[in-house]
Amino acid sequence: MSGSMFDETLRALRQLEGRTQLSIPIEYDEDGYLDRECPADECLFQFKVLADDWKDKVRDEEVFCPSCGHTAESGSWMTQEQVEHVRKAALSHVSGQLGKAMARDAAQWNRRQPKGGLISMMMKVNQRPTQVLLPPAAAEPMQLKITCPVCECRYAVVGAAFFCPSCGHNAADQQFSQSVTGIIQSLDAIGAVRAAIPDRDTAENTVRLLVENGLQNAVTAFQRYAEALYVSLPTASPARRNAFQNLAEGSGLWSAATNKAYADHLSATELAALQRAFQQRHLLAHTQGIVDAGYLQKSSDTRYQPGQRIVVREDGVRETVALVSKLADALLADASAARQP
């Protein structure tokens, strides 16, 4: 309203109301990759896409999570850190605009006050400087860079990935090999991770998560690879979803289709070690690592009681990687033989 003490503030509010668009840049890493995060609550997998390819190759309508295959439109893939950065930048902009308007109102009010009277009123706005926010710090460079053989989109992950974020292509043989490489590289970096984090508790917790993720990625990489090989077999019968997460069930399906079971390729000791790893992955994925009766029965692991939490060690993950790699090579030979006329 005209002549009001708060004309400038009200005008600023009307300008901001529903019509303000802000351009808030998101920083790339030093190699030109953009941080992305799967929007599926059960996944939240973080990865990177080369910024040029995110702009030129990735479609607005559909982006694929490299880990779980979840799809969503391109605006849904900001990381939680980026979302927080945008929120703070928007609040900073709004508070800055309102602060300036209130300062102008105060100046106009002060100019209208009579001078020389017995009572003098002055208005002062304690305006803080508008905060200039830096973009969130880029995550550590991803250790495994991948180029999709179909659309040539370039992306990067830590550990295992299975789907191209641009086209969704899953090249099972390439992805398995790259996933194994990524897991080993992550384990090799444990010393550097410990050295880079000053707080000892934080460092050890980070290392624990790194090792546990390595185990889960190794089992999942084998599962996806076995699934892809299985559907290529001429006599393969339909399999339930995630059948190859179960070592015994996967071996049964494979034997029915190729006349070769997992036991034809791994010793009893190796199969027992792999069974423990598969069951530990199940606990990490579904019970946060807490041991239950099902784990004790299926793993034959006598080190734990129900209610305890499993301890996954680096050497155990390396052993699991070696075993799934050995079995994967054997399955590839089985599949090649089965396709022969």
Side-chain angles (χ1 to χ4, degrees):
M1 61 187 177
S2 178
S4 167
M5 181 188 301
F6 300 110
D7 282 346
E8 293 294 328
T9 302
L10 292 172
R11 186 177 297 111
L13 285 171
R14 286 193 294 269
Q15 290 174 347
L16 289 170
E17 185 178 333
R19 293 181 294 162
T20 300
Q21 291 186 350
L22 300 179
S23 178
I24 301 172
I26 300 297
E27 191 175 74
Y28 310 148
D29 71 11
E30 60 184 9
D31 296 323
Y33 282 76
L34 181 65
D35 289 294
R36 304 281 77 177
E37 181 177 287
C38 177
D41 290 338
E42 66 276 11
C43 181
L44 301 179
F45 181 75
Q46 292 195 346
F47 59 103
K48 293 176 184 267
V49 177
L50 192 70
D52 289 342
D53 290 352
W54 183 263
K55 176 182 176 182
D56 299 332
K57 296 181 184 296
V58 175
R59 293 175 296 150
D60 290 338
E61 299 80 10
E62 188 175 47
V63 181
F64 298 82
C65 173
S67 179
C68 72
H70 175 80
T71 60
E73 53 87 21
S74 62
S76 303
W77 297 82
M78 293 177 65
T79 68
Q80 296 176 52
E81 292 82 5
Q82 289 167 345
V83 170
E84 181 64 11
H85 166 66
V86 169
R87 185 187 71 82
K88 288 182 177 179
L91 288 175
S92 177
H93 172 79
V94 170
S95 64
Q97 294 296 102
L98 291 179
K100 292 175 183 177
M102 293 178 70
R104 290 194 297 270
D105 281 329
Q108 292 176 10
W109 168 267
N110 294 336
R111 283 195 297 270
R112 289 198 294 266
Q113 300 311 303
K115 292 181 172 55
L118 293 177
I119 299 176
S120 177
M121 294 180 62
M122 299 292 288
M123 179 184 289
K124 181 179 180 181
V125 175
N126 185 14
Q127 182 185 9
R128 295 180 180 179
T130 301
Q131 186 179 8
V132 178
L133 293 173
L134 297 174
E140 288 295 321
M142 295 291 181
Q143 294 162 327
L144 183 64
K145 290 182 169 64
I146 301 170
T147 299
C148 175
V150 174
C151 71
E152 298 184 344
C153 178
R154 289 157 289 184
Y155 58 104
V157 300
V158 170
F162 310 100
F163 305 97
C164 169
S166 175
C167 69
H169 176 70
N170 182 7
D173 52 348
Q174 178 197 39
Q175 302 292 30
F176 179 76
S177 175
Q178 290 178 329
S179 295
V180 166
T181 299
I183 294 166
I184 294 300
Q185 289 178 341
S186 296
L187 296 176
D188 289 343
I190 284 176
V193 170
R194 281 198 175 99
I197 302 176
D199 182 76
R200 183 173 179 179
D201 290 340
T202 303
E204 290 307 314
N205 188 56
T206 302
V207 167
R208 176 182 62 80
L209 293 174
L210 191 90
V211 172
E212 291 178 354
N213 284 339
L215 176 69
Q216 294 187 77
N217 288 338
V219 173
T220 303
F222 173 79
Q223 173 202 342
R224 297 282 169 80
Y225 184 62
E227 288 171 349
L229 287 178
Y230 180 75
V231 298
S232 72
L233 298 173
T235 59
S237 59
R240 71 172 183 87
R241 185 173 179 270
N242 292 331
F244 284 90
Q245 278 185 5
N246 184 299
L247 206 62
E249 185 176 358
S251 180
L253 288 167
W254 195 259
S255 178
T258 66
N259 293 319
K260 292 284 188 179
Y262 293 176
D264 293 315
H265 306 302
L266 298 180
S267 69
T269 301
E270 290 173 327
L271 278 174
L274 201 55
Q275 176 69 0
R276 280 195 302 274
F278 270 57
Q279 292 304 312
Q280 288 178 344
R281 183 221 67 86
H282 181 82
L283 290 184
L284 292 171
H286 299 289
T287 70
Q288 298 184 329
I290 303 301
V291 173
D292 56 19
Y295 171 79
L296 297 176
Q297 179 184 3
K298 295 174 183 177
S299 70
S300 300
D301 192 343
T302 59
R303 297 172 297 173
Y304 299 102
Q305 297 294 325
Q308 290 183 303
R309 193 182 192 279
I310 57 170
V311 177
V312 181
R313 302 193 182 280
E314 178 188 346
D315 56 355
V317 178
R318 291 185 184 275
E319 179 187 32
T320 299
V321 170
L323 290 175
V324 295
S325 297
K326 179 179 179 179
L327 185 54
D329 288 342
L331 298 191
L332 178 61
D334 292 345
S336 298
R339 296 191 201 104
Q340 297 298 320

